[in-house]
Amino acid sequence: MNTKKNERFAETDRRIRKAFTKMVLNKKTNQISVREICEATGINRSSFYLHYADIPALITAIVREKWTESVERIHEEMHGDPNIFSEAYVAATLREAKRDRTFYRAYFEKFGTAELEKGYQTLFENVFKPFFSAARHRERALHGISF
């Protein structure tokens, strides 16, 4: 793909996301149709489907983007302190949820907490488990316990 087509594709994608995010302010997600998004963005349905398989796929893409942005802002606010167990980290996380509360309300309305639970499972496997494992190894080493 040449650059002009890439730019046009990216611009269409931004317009789709923006239109949907704006619609969520006034409607429940199950009341928003692909047709409405297309009318709001001035594209046809086939263009929408080049970008997303359906509205849940659009929501998932927006959530991923927002999550990435939120995590970056939290890490900036925490000045690189990785202690996710701290009160400050939890407070920063809640501020981020509040910042995009309309969108997250719509997301949970549509998908419930299943995806959030998957996220917590990933967090547990990739952060908590290694953290506690390392702490256990440090404790054993401190007390001279062999592995």
Side-chain angles (χ1 to χ4, degrees):
M1 241 189 247
N2 68 36
T3 304
K4 188 173 182 177
K5 286 183 181 179
N6 288 339
E7 290 171 10
R8 186 172 27 188
F9 188 88
E11 177 56 30
T12 300
D13 194 60
R14 279 190 291 277
R15 288 181 15 231
I16 291 169
R17 290 173 186 229
K18 184 177 180 180
F20 179 80
T21 303
K22 196 174 192 180
M23 288 176 187
V24 165
L25 296 174
N26 302 309
K27 289 180 155 185
K28 293 185 175 190
T29 56
N30 64 353
Q31 297 173 327
I32 300 171
S33 69
V34 171
R35 180 187 52 77
E36 289 175 287
I37 295 169
C38 291
E39 287 174 3
T41 56
I43 63 171
N44 59 41
R45 290 173 65 88
S46 62
S47 291
F48 176 89
Y49 290 115
L50 277 174
H51 291 264
Y52 302 101
D54 51 23
I55 290 177
L58 169 60
I59 294 170
T60 300
I62 293 170
V63 167
R64 282 189 183 128
E65 177 182 59
K66 287 186 174 293
W67 178 255
T68 300
E69 291 169 0
S70 291
V71 167
E72 287 172 2
R73 281 192 295 267
I74 290 167
H75 285 286
E76 285 175 20
E77 185 175 334
M78 296 301 297
H79 306 290
D81 180 5
N83 185 2
I84 64 171
F85 304 108
S86 72
E87 185 177 327
Y89 196 95
V90 172
T93 302
L94 293 174
R95 278 191 295 280
E96 281 302 312
K98 185 177 180 183
R99 179 189 315 246
D100 287 322
R101 67 182 166 266
T102 303
F103 181 79
Y104 287 109
R105 176 192 50 80
Y107 178 80
F108 291 126
E109 173 187 294
K110 181 73 176 176
F111 296 106
T113 60
E115 287 298 315
L116 181 64
E117 290 167 5
K118 283 184 200 171
Y120 280 121
Q121 181 64 36
T122 301
L123 181 66
F124 177 78
E125 292 296 327
N126 295 309
V127 177
F128 291 111
K129 214 172 177 179
F131 175 84
F132 289 122
S133 178
R136 187 174 54 248
H137 288 300
R138 283 191 303 275
E139 185 70 20
R140 286 180 178 169
L142 181 65
H143 296 294
I145 301 169
S146 64
F147 299 97

